[in-house]
Amino acid sequence: MNAAAPEAAWAAALLDWYDRHARRLPWRTGPAERAAGARPDPYRVWLSEIMLQQTTVATVGPYFARFIERWPTVEALAAAPREDVLAAWAGLGYYARARNLHACAQAAAARGGFPQDEAGLRELPGVGAYTAAAVAAIAFDAPAAVVDGNVERVVTRMFRIETPLPDAKPLVRVEVQRLTPRRRPGDFAQAMMDLGATICTPRRPACALCPWRAPCAARAAGVAESLPRKKPKAAKPHRLGVAFVAQRPDGAVLVETRPDRGLLGGMAGPPCTDWTDAPPDAAAVAAAAPIEAEWRAAAAEARHVFTHFTLSLEVLTARVGQGARPARGGFVPAEQARAAAPTALRKALDIGLAALRDVSALG
């Protein structure tokens, strides 16, 4: 390797490895396609990057395919009703992303497409530093420093950065900026991600197969698997609430759309009380009931783990008349309600519907 510029040699070695071992992903323009003159679609790059935040490739694949089939261009997504986009997103989590996705599509379509630089991309709704760098690099070959969790792991090991995350993030970014080549920066960013995902894995990294095994400081010291270091996580608070599952004789169930602001904003699901640190008292439950009915508690409760807290929802069920008029929300077919509900509320809905079926079976 060239001792005067080792980073250039390291980048070249990684790109050679990527040319042979790049993952085939539905949103990716692979190295062979790039070499043949194909260019990535900024819309597909942006959509995949938004979906992949805090979510695995395996989970994102089917959602990405459905979005692309339904809305093949950013203009098509921008023109879609927001409630359709939110319903299609249900199950992917982090639902502010879905609201921002629609707003960003409208902003990009209004300006005739996606900006080609990080600064311009950062002006779009819901596009932060990471997404701007990823889209700039992958879609437009801008020499942007792209740092996701895989890249953090590769770099902390490569340079044996012992500072725990998240404090190490600025150090990692400096190294990524230093490593990123002017030639093929988009492929380099994806190569770093692939290296972390397939070789430099959290446990038992395959150092013998790594194109950076020689210069890797953590491998040389025998501490690769212990990096990156992370600060101890604080215990998650636990919140409680009540979900109301009401069903008409025709099978339709009551759902309401949550306010835009706050967790699960804009998503539809069974009405709930507020989620609080203590169980809601009888007066709070009565005040939150969306319709006058004979409410019965289901045997099971819905439990869900969010990023910052855990949740337990007591599920109250009721059968109501065909002409029932709720104080809030409206009735929709049960399968439509399930498809549109985020995971936490779908769990409550499923528990409630199962309890109502059991009651009917008992006669």
Side-chain angles (χ1 to χ4, degrees):
M1 289 188 179
N2 181 355
E7 295 87 357
W10 298 340
L14 182 61
L15 286 167
D16 287 345
W17 173 85
Y18 178 70
D19 288 343
R20 298 190 302 274
H21 301 292
R23 291 179 293 175
R24 296 187 63 84
L25 301 172
W27 46 83
R28 175 178 285 177
T29 302
E33 298 166 287
R34 291 293 301 267
R39 289 294 174 261
D41 179 354
Y43 170 61
R44 295 168 75 97
V45 173
W46 162 77
L47 179 61
S48 68
E49 289 298 337
I50 298 296
M51 287 185 166
L52 286 165
Q53 293 170 17
Q54 306 292 329
T55 311
T56 65
V57 167
T59 299
V60 165
Y63 282 88
F64 180 84
R66 289 194 291 270
F67 264 72
I68 289 296
E69 181 179 6
R70 190 169 182 182
W71 303 297
T73 65
V74 69
E75 291 81 11
L77 183 60
R82 194 183 73 157
E83 57 269 24
D84 290 355
V85 176
L86 295 180
W89 188 274
L92 265 180
Y94 299 89
Y95 293 98
R97 291 184 298 165
R99 300 194 300 275
N100 287 331
L101 185 86
H102 191 243
C104 185
Q106 292 180 322
R111 61 189 298 165
F114 289 91
Q116 298 188 19
D117 61 289
E118 289 181 85
L121 288 161
R122 287 293 300 270
E123 295 175 359
L124 297 175
V127 175
Y130 166 76
T131 303
V135 174
I138 298 170
F140 301 111
D141 248 352
V146 183
V147 184
D148 69 353
N150 284 316
V151 174
E152 286 177 343
R153 186 166 57 255
V154 169
V155 171
T156 56
R157 290 171 175 175
M158 179 74 165
F159 298 100
R160 196 180 171 184
I161 297 173
E162 305 267 0
T163 304
L165 291 170
D167 293 348
K169 286 179 179 289
L171 303 175
V172 171
R173 178 166 294 279
V174 167
E175 297 296 353
V176 174
Q177 288 173 333
R178 191 162 64 87
L179 289 167
T180 300
R182 305 292 298 183
R183 175 179 167 270
R184 300 178 63 189
D187 281 349
F188 178 82
Q190 293 174 102
M192 290 277 276
M193 296 175 188
D194 281 12
L195 187 66
T198 64
I199 300 293
C200 197
T201 50
R203 295 180 179 83
R204 298 187 179 181
C207 296
L209 303 177
C210 180
W212 283 357
R213 61 187 175 275
C216 179
R219 183 203 62 80
V223 297
E225 197 166 351
S226 70
L227 297 177
R229 303 198 190 285
K230 296 182 180 180
K231 288 184 174 180
K233 291 183 178 179
K236 291 183 178 182
H238 187 65
R239 296 181 184 169
L240 303 105
V242 172
F244 300 92
V245 178
Q247 189 171 37
R248 294 189 318 205
D250 64 357
V253 295
L254 178 61
V255 299
E256 69 171 349
T257 301
R258 298 172 68 85
D260 273 357
R261 302 183 70 84
L263 192 66
L264 307 185
M267 303 300 293
C272 295
T273 63
D274 290 337
W275 301 346
T276 56
D277 295 333
D281 59 28
V285 173
I291 193 169
E292 189 172 331
E294 185 180 342
W295 294 100
R296 297 182 178 181
E301 65 179 14
R303 298 181 179 179
H304 191 72
V305 178
F306 291 97
T307 305
H308 301 298
F309 68 94
T310 59
L311 173 68
S312 294
L313 291 175
E314 181 184 8
V315 180
L316 299 185
T317 67
R319 291 201 174 276
V320 298
Q322 192 65 27
R325 297 184 178 225
R328 62 185 199 272
F331 288 90
V332 301
E335 282 309 307
Q336 180 182 329
R338 289 195 73 258
T343 305
L345 299 183
R346 188 184 305 143
K347 291 176 181 178
L349 183 60
D350 286 346
I351 288 171
L353 291 174
L356 288 168
R357 285 195 297 272
D358 289 345
V359 170
S360 295
L362 291 174

